């Protein structure tokens, strides 16, 4: 009988850390806390050790292909596979509502393009019947996009990876040329890169589900709520431990029929395609 393995990316602090903590308490197997920075990762493990919990640690920088490969080889060699994979690693631009092209590019690289690398190198290790959770955001609901052309392409039931990548590329080119219209994205295009990256992740989740359907793997994306973390500069309506409850439910307890869905922080499954819904992120919520 093979040992069960759970992996949480970007988990040295915030929601990722709380998900690792919860998995250590409830998951019957090995739990990997991973982080880009080795020292911070090991300090986080020591914090959990002090609580009597014993996560394993491995360095993992999701935007560094070589790092993802090293981690993949490590898991393959030691355990042969993964049962739970939580794609949590992300950055936001909470301090500034509008960012430079370089900052936007970096946000897209970490929040969206890294998931493509993980999909290529770690998804093949996910065992049949496993669970994958992409941590998205309310910025990841389709209602964040107001450009009619892109709403049409992204909501097409025959969506392809090419559609998603071209959407992301369109945004980056507009950002580079300084001609993104504030009407193209909700809330006057505040936090535009984060919205674009997370919408791309939510859309990608549905494609991933189609690809993995034959292996009975559940892939979902979810909005963890506005959580008091470093990423939100302390703004939010609940703690990281509280925010970890729905992710833990999705990877440990949710029915296996819940697949390819976009889920709200209260476990409610939302219609991701409802572009006229009021689910998009509003900067007003950050004003304390």
């Amino acid at each position: 009988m093979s040992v069960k393995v759970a992996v949480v990316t970007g988990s040295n602090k915030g929601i990722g850390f709380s998900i690792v903590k919860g998995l250590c308490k409830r998951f019957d197997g090995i739990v990997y806390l991973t982080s880009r920075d080795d020292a911070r990762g090991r300090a986080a493990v020591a914090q959990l050790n002090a609580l009597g919990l014993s996560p394993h640690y491995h360095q993992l920088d999701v935007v560094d292909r070589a790092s993802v490969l090293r981690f993949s080889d490590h898991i393959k060699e030691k355990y042969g596979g993964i049962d739970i994979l939580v794609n949590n690693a992300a950055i936001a631009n909470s301090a500034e509502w509008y960012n430079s092209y370089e900052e936007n590019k970096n946000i897209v690289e970490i929040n969206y393009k890294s998931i493509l690398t993980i999909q290529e190198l770690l998804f093949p290790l996910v065992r049949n019947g496993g669970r994958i959770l992409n941590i998205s955001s309310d910025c990841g609901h389709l209602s964040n996009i107001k450009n009619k052309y892109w709403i049409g392409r992204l909501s097409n039931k025959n969506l392809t990876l090419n559609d998603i990548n071209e959407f992301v590329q369109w945004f980056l080119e507009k950002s580079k040329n300084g001609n993104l219209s504030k009407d193209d994205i909700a809330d006057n295009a505040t936090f535009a890169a984060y919205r674009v990256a997370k919408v791309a992740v939510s859309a990608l989740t549905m494609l991933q589900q189609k690809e993995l359907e034959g292996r009975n793997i559940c892939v979902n994306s979810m909005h963890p709520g506005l959580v008091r973390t470093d990423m939100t500069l302390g703004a939010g309506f609940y703690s990281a431990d509280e925010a970890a409850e729905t992710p833990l439910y999705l990877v440990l307890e949710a029915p296996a029929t819940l697949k390819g869905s976009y889920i709200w922080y209260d476990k409610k499954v939302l219609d991701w395609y409802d572009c006229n819904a009021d689910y998009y992120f509003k900067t007003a919520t950050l004003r304390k």
Side-chain angles (χ1 to χ4, degrees), residues 8 11-25 31-34 40-57 241:
V8 185
S11 48
N12 61 289
K13 63 180 181 177
I15 299 169
F17 179 80
S18 290
I19 293 172
V20 168
K21 190 199 292 182
L23 284 169
C24 284
K25 292 175 182 175
V31 183
Y32 269 91
L33 184 152
T34 68
R40 286 180 185 168
R42 293 185 187 281
V45 168
Q47 258 183 284
L48 291 174
N49 289 163
L51 298 174
L53 305 173
S54 307
H56 286 227
Y57 175 73
D241 281 358

Side-chain angles (χ1 to χ4, degrees), residues 20-21 30 41 51 67 119 257:
V20 168
K21 190 199 292 182
I30 282 160
L51 298 174
S67 172
Q119 182 175 339
T257 48

Side-chain angles (χ1 to χ4, degrees), residues 76-96:
K76 215 181 298 179
E77 200 178 300
K78 285 204 81 166
Y79 305 106
I82 296 169
D83 299 274
I84 291 172
L85 173 60
V86 181
N87 290 311
N88 170 72
I91 60 162
N93 46 352
S94 315
E96 299 296 332

Side-chain angles (χ1 to χ4, degrees), residues 71-282:
F71 181 65
S72 167
D73 289 344
H74 168 79
I75 293 289
K76 215 181 298 179
E77 200 178 300
K78 285 204 81 166
Y79 305 106
I82 296 169
D83 299 274
I84 291 172
L85 173 60
V86 181
N87 290 311
N88 170 72
I91 60 162
N93 46 352
S94 315
E96 299 296 332
W97 291 7
Y98 300 100
N99 293 82
S100 69
Y101 167 67
E102 283 305 321
E103 288 168 324
N104 285 340
K105 194 171 157 213
N106 192 33
I107 288 162
V108 166
E109 288 283 332
I110 293 172
N111 292 304
Y112 170 64
K113 292 189 178 175
S114 70
I115 305 275
L116 297 175
T117 307
I118 295 276
Q119 182 175 339
E120 181 193 343
L121 302 176
L122 293 187
F123 279 26
L125 295 181
V126 177
R127 295 187 177 112
N128 293 353
R131 298 198 169 189
I132 297 169
L133 180 62
N134 295 326
I135 302 292
S136 185
S137 164
D138 52 354
C139 286
H141 189 270
L142 188 59
S143 57
N144 285 274
I145 307 304
K146 299 302 178 191
N147 179 292
K148 288 199 165 37
Y149 172 76
W150 286 112
I151 289 170
R153 270 185 79 174
L154 292 170
S155 60
N156 186 325
K157 296 291 160 108
N158 297 315
L159 180 77
T160 66
L161 181 58
N162 191 47
D163 291 320
I164 303 172
N165 286 339
E166 283 186 13
F167 162 65
V168 168
Q169 203 49 44
W170 161 80
F171 164 72
L172 288 174
E173 279 168 20
K174 287 276 185 188
S175 168
K176 194 175 190 177
N177 301 329
N179 61 357
L180 179 74
S181 165
K182 287 191 176 178
D183 295 334
D184 281 335
I185 293 173
D187 204 53
N188 287 319
T190 51
F191 305 112
Y194 192 73
R195 292 179 199 267
V196 165
K198 289 299 193 181
V199 164
V201 167
S202 303
L204 180 65
T205 299
M206 294 180 275
L207 292 189
Q208 292 173 337
Q209 182 61 64
K210 280 182 188 171
E211 280 182 34
L212 296 171
E213 192 66 49
R215 293 173 54 205
N216 198 30
I217 292 169
C218 302
V219 193
N220 292 296
S221 68
M222 62 91 58
H223 162 48
L226 190 60
V227 186
R228 295 187 297 272
T229 63
D230 288 356
M231 192 189 271
T232 63
L233 304 180
F237 56 84
Y238 64 167
S239 70
D241 281 358
E242 289 166 331
E245 281 306 311
T246 294
L248 288 165
Y249 161 77
L250 291 170
V251 296
L252 294 173
E253 300 159 10
T257 48
L258 187 58
K259 292 178 170 181
S261 297
Y262 174 83
I263 297 138
W264 212 236
Y265 62 87
D266 58 3
K267 302 186 177 74
K268 189 176 164 192
V269 178
L270 298 189
D271 177 6
W272 184 79
Y273 295 100
D274 186 0
C275 61
N276 298 313
D278 189 29
Y279 297 131
Y280 62 89
F281 173 72
K282 300 158 193 73

